[in-house]
Amino acid sequence: MRHFLTLKDFSKEEILEMISLAQKIKAQTKKKEFVPYMERQTLGMIFEKSSTRTRVSFETGIYQLGGIGLFLSSGDIQLGRGEPMKDTARVISRMVDMVMIRTFSQKKIEEFALYSRVPVINGLTDEYHPAQLMADYLTMVEYGKADNPVCAYVGDGNNMAHSWLMLASKMGFELRIATPAGYECDAGIVADAMAFAAQSGAKISIGNDPKAAVKGADVVTTDTWVSMGKEEEKERRVADFAGYIVDNAMMSCARSDAIFLHCLPAYRGYEVGEELFETHAETIFAEAENRLHAQKGIMVWLDQHRLDKVSN
Ligand code: CP
Ligand code: NVA
């Protein structure tokens, strides 16, 4: 049985298999062909943080695959009152067929997975947001930007930056990350990405100059400066991130046909300029819709790779 906790655990071929499944199921869905790949299966969805896209896309996705989603807010289940993660995992995974979790540390989701009888999907942790990156990659494929692109990530060295590192280093494309000093990516995650890059041929560069990162890029992306759980640092972060807004001036350093991606929610006037955002709204909201399609690819792939099914 495989879990989807970070792209670190997947090969390029496996990522492409999930993307192909997503494309196939997306085309079927667009024709209103709802193939019951996961008939009568239940997806438990545990949220310890807020969500719009992740909740709606997983719940709608499992329903369209013939199953049902259970929204489990930590404020409403015993986990929020101190029941251990490992007990929650042992209970819930005896009742449902797959689990998606949005939580704080990656360690918590790893602990859940260790005790789970069913596949576990990362719906965002402090360290990673791999489901988002599958949607981003699907969007790059659809917009003709997946063939050896130069990608630039400008902003916080957070879960999104880490997930971009994993995607680029596995798929073998160029990624330039620019963060303010003091907000760099986790050194261990960068080291892992560099090791994968040495095998895949990816070119990874990390620095503190956003314009240099964006220069000639095919794909430019950013994320909030104040991730969930960091709200108390907002004032300091806004000051420290001065000069990191991706606006028309920053984007003019990229290729003229570059696309702009944003995982959302977007905070205009902070990490992204209003005009730049609205100019690229079509791609940004295609990316948001692709959460639905990419995650169906992930769920169906995990379902197809359960040990019981593989050995049958
Ligand atoms: N991009 C993303 O994960 O959005 P939500 O926080 O709304 O789920
Ligand atoms: N980095 C952001 C992503 C939100 C989807 C956060 O963790 O809040």
Side-chain angles (χ1 to χ4, degrees), residues 60-312:
T60 305
I62 188 70
Y63 175 69
Q64 292 181 348
L65 292 172
I68 190 166
L70 280 187
F71 174 65
L72 304 166
S73 160
S74 58
D76 299 329
I77 60 173
Q78 299 289 6
L79 179 69
R81 296 184 66 250
E83 184 166 18
M85 200 53 127
K86 60 183 183 180
D87 294 356
T88 306
R90 284 179 285 191
V91 172
I92 292 180
S93 71
R94 282 174 179 253
M95 298 179 186
V96 305
D97 303 284
M98 202 170 277
V99 174
M100 180 246 101
I101 309 182
R102 168 166 286 197
T103 186
F104 291 88
S105 76
Q106 185 78 6
K107 280 207 163 60
K108 284 176 95 172
I109 201 170
E110 281 168 5
E111 185 183 15
F112 191 104
L114 192 65
Y115 286 90
S116 175
R117 291 185 166 191
V118 299
V120 179
I121 299 172
N122 185 347
L124 181 145
T125 59
D126 293 342
E127 286 88 346
Y128 293 112
H129 196 4
Q132 177 71 53
L133 265 288
M134 295 299 283
D136 293 6
Y137 192 67
L138 178 58
T139 311
M140 285 165 61
V141 170
E142 291 175 348
Y143 282 82
K145 301 291 180 193
D147 187 16
N148 219 12
V150 174
C151 298
Y153 175 96
V154 174
D156 192 15
N158 63 10
N159 43 13
M160 281 300 297
H162 294 157
S163 301
W164 272 100
L165 276 171
M166 284 305 146
L167 182 76
S169 64
K170 289 286 180 163
M171 304 311 288
F173 61 77
E174 180 168 353
L175 175 67
R176 306 168 185 162
I177 293 191
T179 70
Y183 295 93
E184 284 89 359
C185 293
D186 176 88
I189 293 175
V190 172
D192 287 342
M194 291 299 186
F196 295 132
Q199 290 166 7
S200 68
K203 200 172 152 207
I204 309 282
S205 55
I206 310 247
N208 306 110
D209 183 344
K211 286 204 167 133
V214 170
K215 192 164 183 271
D218 301 291
V219 178
V220 179
T221 188
T222 183
D223 182 23
T224 180
W225 296 341
V226 188
S227 284
M228 290 179 277
K230 304 276 187 202
E231 291 79 2
E232 281 172 16
E233 299 174 15
K234 181 173 176 183
E235 207 177 324
R236 178 165 58 84
R237 284 176 166 262
V238 169
D240 291 346
F241 280 79
Y244 278 77
I245 185 170
V246 181
D247 55 9
N248 288 341
M250 181 82 75
M251 196 69 186
S252 70
C253 301
R255 280 177 59 111
S256 58
D257 62 350
I259 61 167
F260 173 74
L261 298 176
H262 194 308
C263 66
L264 304 176
Y267 299 91
R268 275 86 153 176
Y270 294 95
E271 80 277 6
V272 64
E274 166 74 12
E275 208 182 312
L276 187 271
F277 184 93
E278 292 302 335
T279 306
H280 291 269
E282 191 207 307
T283 330
I284 296 166
F285 292 104
E287 174 191 7
E289 181 190 327
N290 276 337
R291 293 294 301 279
L292 172 67
H293 307 298
Q295 289 160 191
K296 284 187 196 168
I298 297 168
M299 289 191 281
V300 171
W301 191 93
L302 290 175
D303 186 46
Q304 290 175 348
H305 288 76
R306 285 173 204 265
L307 277 183
D308 49 352
K309 292 207 171 169
V310 171
S311 58
N312 278 344

